[in-house]
Coordinates of all heavy atoms in Angstrom, one line a residue:
K63 N 15.7 -4.3 -25.8 CA 16.3 -4.7 -24.6 C 15.3 -4.8 -23.4 O 15.5 -5.5 -22.5 CB 17.4 -3.7 -24.2 CG 18.5 -3.7 -25.3 CD 19.1 -5.0 -25.6 CE 20.1 -5.0 -26.8 NZ 20.4 -6.3 -27.3
E64 N 14.2 -4.0 -23.5 CA 13.2 -4.1 -22.5 C 11.8 -4.0 -23.2 O 11.7 -3.2 -24.1 CB 13.3 -2.9 -21.5 CG 14.5 -3.0 -20.6 CD 14.5 -1.9 -19.5 OE1 13.4 -1.5 -19.1 OE2 15.6 -1.5 -19.1
S65 N 10.9 -4.8 -22.8 CA 9.5 -4.7 -23.3 C 8.5 -5.1 -22.3 O 8.8 -5.9 -21.4 CB 9.4 -5.5 -24.6 OG 9.5 -6.9 -24.3
T66 N 7.3 -4.6 -22.4 CA 6.2 -5.0 -21.5 C 4.9 -5.2 -22.4 O 4.6 -4.4 -23.2 CB 5.9 -3.9 -20.5 OG1 7.1 -3.6 -19.8 CG2 4.8 -4.2 -19.6
V67 N 4.3 -6.3 -22.1 CA 3.0 -6.6 -22.8 C 2.0 -7.1 -21.8 O 2.4 -7.6 -20.7 CB 3.2 -7.7 -23.9 CG1 4.1 -7.1 -25.1 CG2 3.7 -9.0 -23.4
R68 N 0.7 -7.1 -22.1 CA -0.3 -7.7 -21.3 C -0.9 -8.8 -22.1 O -1.3 -8.6 -23.3 CB -1.4 -6.7 -20.9 CG -0.8 -5.7 -19.9 CD -1.9 -5.0 -19.1 NE -1.4 -4.2 -18.1 CZ -1.6 -2.9 -18.0 NH1 -2.4 -2.3 -18.8 NH2 -1.0 -2.3 -17.0
R69 N -1.1 -10.0 -21.5 CA -1.6 -11.1 -22.2 C -2.6 -11.9 -21.3 O -2.4 -11.9 -20.1 CB -0.5 -12.1 -22.7 CG 0.4 -11.5 -23.7 CD -0.2 -11.4 -25.1 NE 0.7 -11.0 -26.1 CZ 0.8 -9.8 -26.5 NH1 0.0 -8.8 -26.0 NH2 1.7 -9.5 -27.5
R70 N -3.5 -12.6 -22.0 CA -4.4 -13.5 -21.3 C -3.6 -14.8 -20.9 O -2.6 -15.2 -21.6 CB -5.6 -13.9 -22.1 CG -6.5 -12.7 -22.4 CD -7.6 -13.1 -23.4 NE -8.6 -13.9 -22.7 CZ -9.9 -13.9 -23.1 NH1 -10.2 -13.3 -24.2 NH2 -10.8 -14.6 -22.5
Y71 N -4.0 -15.5 -19.8 CA -3.3 -16.7 -19.4 C -3.3 -17.7 -20.6 O -2.3 -18.4 -20.8 CB -4.1 -17.3 -18.2 CG -3.5 -18.6 -17.8 CD1 -2.3 -18.8 -17.2 CD2 -4.2 -19.8 -18.1 CE1 -1.8 -20.0 -16.8 CE2 -3.7 -21.0 -17.8 CZ -2.5 -21.1 -17.1 OH -2.1 -22.3 -16.8
S72 N -4.4 -17.8 -21.3 CA -4.5 -18.7 -22.4 C -3.5 -18.5 -23.5 O -3.1 -19.3 -24.3 CB -5.9 -18.8 -23.0 OG -6.3 -17.5 -23.5
D73 N -3.0 -17.2 -23.6 CA -2.0 -16.9 -24.6 C -0.6 -17.5 -24.3 O 0.2 -17.6 -25.2 CB -1.8 -15.3 -24.7 CG -3.0 -14.7 -25.4 OD1 -3.8 -15.4 -26.1 OD2 -3.2 -13.5 -25.2
F74 N -0.4 -17.9 -23.1 CA 0.9 -18.5 -22.8 C 0.8 -19.8 -22.0 O 1.7 -20.2 -21.2 CB 2.0 -17.6 -22.3 CG 1.6 -16.9 -21.0 CD1 2.1 -17.3 -19.8 CD2 0.8 -15.8 -21.0 CE1 1.8 -16.7 -18.6 CE2 0.5 -15.1 -19.8 CZ 1.0 -15.6 -18.6
E75 N -0.3 -20.5 -22.2 CA -0.5 -21.8 -21.5 C 0.6 -22.8 -22.0 O 0.9 -23.7 -21.3 CB -1.9 -22.4 -21.9 CG -3.0 -21.8 -21.1 CD -4.3 -22.4 -21.5 OE1 -4.6 -22.5 -22.7 OE2 -5.0 -22.9 -20.6
W76 N 1.1 -22.7 -23.2 CA 2.1 -23.5 -23.8 C 3.5 -23.4 -23.0 O 4.3 -24.2 -23.1 CB 2.3 -23.3 -25.2 CG 2.7 -21.8 -25.5 CD1 1.8 -20.8 -25.7 CD2 4.0 -21.2 -25.5 NE1 2.5 -19.6 -25.8 CE2 3.8 -19.9 -25.7 CE3 5.3 -21.8 -25.3 CZ2 4.9 -19.0 -25.7 CZ3 6.3 -20.9 -25.3 CH2 6.2 -19.5 -25.5
L77 N 3.7 -22.2 -22.3 CA 5.0 -21.9 -21.8 C 5.5 -22.9 -20.8 O 6.7 -23.3 -20.9 CB 4.9 -20.5 -21.2 CG 6.2 -19.9 -20.7 CD1 7.3 -19.9 -21.8 CD2 6.0 -18.6 -20.1
P78 N 4.7 -23.4 -19.8 CA 5.2 -24.4 -18.8 C 5.8 -25.6 -19.5 O 6.9 -26.0 -19.1 CB 4.0 -24.7 -18.0 CG 3.1 -23.6 -18.1 CD 3.3 -23.0 -19.5
S79 N 5.2 -26.2 -20.4 CA 5.7 -27.4 -21.0 C 7.0 -27.1 -21.8 O 7.9 -27.9 -21.9 CB 4.7 -28.1 -21.9 OG 4.2 -27.2 -22.9
E80 N 7.0 -25.9 -22.5 CA 8.2 -25.6 -23.2 C 9.4 -25.3 -22.3 O 10.5 -25.8 -22.5 CB 7.9 -24.3 -24.1 CG 9.1 -23.9 -25.0 CD 9.3 -25.0 -26.1 OE1 8.5 -25.8 -26.4 OE2 10.5 -24.9 -26.6
L81 N 9.2 -24.6 -21.2 CA 10.2 -24.4 -20.2 C 10.7 -25.6 -19.6 O 11.9 -25.9 -19.4 CB 9.8 -23.4 -19.2 CG 9.6 -21.9 -19.7 CD1 9.0 -21.1 -18.5 CD2 10.9 -21.3 -20.1
E82 N 9.8 -26.5 -19.3 CA 10.1 -27.8 -18.7 C 11.0 -28.6 -19.6 O 12.0 -29.2 -19.2 CB 8.8 -28.6 -18.4 CG 9.1 -29.9 -17.8 CD 9.6 -29.9 -16.3 OE1 9.3 -28.9 -15.6 OE2 10.3 -30.8 -15.9
R83 N 10.7 -28.6 -20.9 CA 11.5 -29.3 -21.9 C 12.8 -28.7 -22.1 O 13.8 -29.4 -22.1 CB 10.7 -29.3 -23.3 CG 11.3 -30.1 -24.3 CD 10.5 -30.1 -25.6 NE 10.4 -28.8 -26.3 CZ 11.4 -28.4 -27.1 NH1 12.4 -29.1 -27.3 NH2 11.3 -27.2 -27.7
E84 N 12.9 -27.4 -22.1 CA 14.2 -26.7 -22.3 C 15.1 -26.7 -21.1 O 16.3 -26.7 -21.2 CB 14.0 -25.3 -22.9 CG 13.4 -25.2 -24.2 CD 14.3 -25.8 -25.3 OE1 15.6 -25.6 -25.2 OE2 13.8 -26.4 -26.3
S85 N 14.5 -26.5 -19.9 CA 15.3 -26.3 -18.7 C 15.5 -27.5 -17.8 O 16.1 -27.4 -16.8 CB 14.8 -25.1 -17.9 OG 13.5 -25.5 -17.4
K86 N 14.9 -28.6 -18.2 CA 14.9 -29.8 -17.5 C 14.6 -29.7 -16.1 O 15.2 -30.2 -15.2 CB 16.3 -30.4 -17.7 CG 16.6 -30.7 -19.1 CD 18.0 -31.2 -19.3 CE 18.3 -31.5 -20.8 NZ 17.9 -30.5 -21.7
G87 N 13.4 -28.9 -15.8 CA 12.9 -28.9 -14.5 C 13.5 -27.9 -13.5 O 13.2 -27.9 -12.3
R88 N 14.2 -26.9 -14.0 CA 14.9 -25.9 -13.1 C 14.0 -24.7 -12.9 O 14.6 -23.6 -12.8 CB 16.3 -25.6 -13.6 CG 17.2 -26.7 -13.6 CD 18.6 -26.3 -14.0 NE 18.6 -25.7 -15.3 CZ 19.1 -26.3 -16.4 NH1 19.6 -27.5 -16.3 NH2 19.0 -25.8 -17.6
W89 N 12.7 -24.8 -12.9 CA 11.9 -23.6 -12.8 C 10.5 -24.0 -12.2 O 10.2 -25.2 -12.1 CB 11.7 -22.9 -14.2 CG 10.8 -23.7 -15.1 CD1 11.1 -24.8 -15.7 CD2 9.5 -23.4 -15.3 NE1 10.0 -25.3 -16.4 CE2 9.0 -24.4 -16.1 CE3 8.6 -22.5 -14.8 CZ2 7.7 -24.5 -16.5 CZ3 7.3 -22.5 -15.3 CH2 6.8 -23.5 -16.1
S90 N 9.7 -23.1 -11.9 CA 8.4 -23.4 -11.4 C 7.4 -22.4 -12.0 O 7.7 -21.3 -12.4 CB 8.3 -23.4 -9.9 OG 8.5 -22.0 -9.5
F91 N 6.1 -22.9 -12.1 CA 5.1 -22.1 -12.7 C 3.7 -22.4 -12.1 O 3.5 -23.5 -11.8 CB 5.0 -22.4 -14.2 CG 3.9 -21.6 -14.9 CD1 4.1 -20.3 -15.4 CD2 2.6 -22.2 -15.1 CE1 3.1 -19.6 -16.0 CE2 1.6 -21.5 -15.8 CZ 1.9 -20.2 -16.2

Side-chain angles (χ1 to χ4, degrees):
K63 299 305 174 194
E64 293 187 27
S65 65
T66 302
V67 296
R68 289 200 175 125
R69 294 287 185 262
R70 293 174 80 155
Y71 174 76
S72 59
D73 289 340
F74 59 101
E75 282 180 309
W76 57 270
L77 186 59
S79 60
E80 186 65 21
L81 290 173
E82 180 71 29
R83 186 175 68 82
E84 291 295 324
S85 66
K86 297 176 182 46
R88 294 185 300 253
W89 73 283
S90 64
F91 178 84

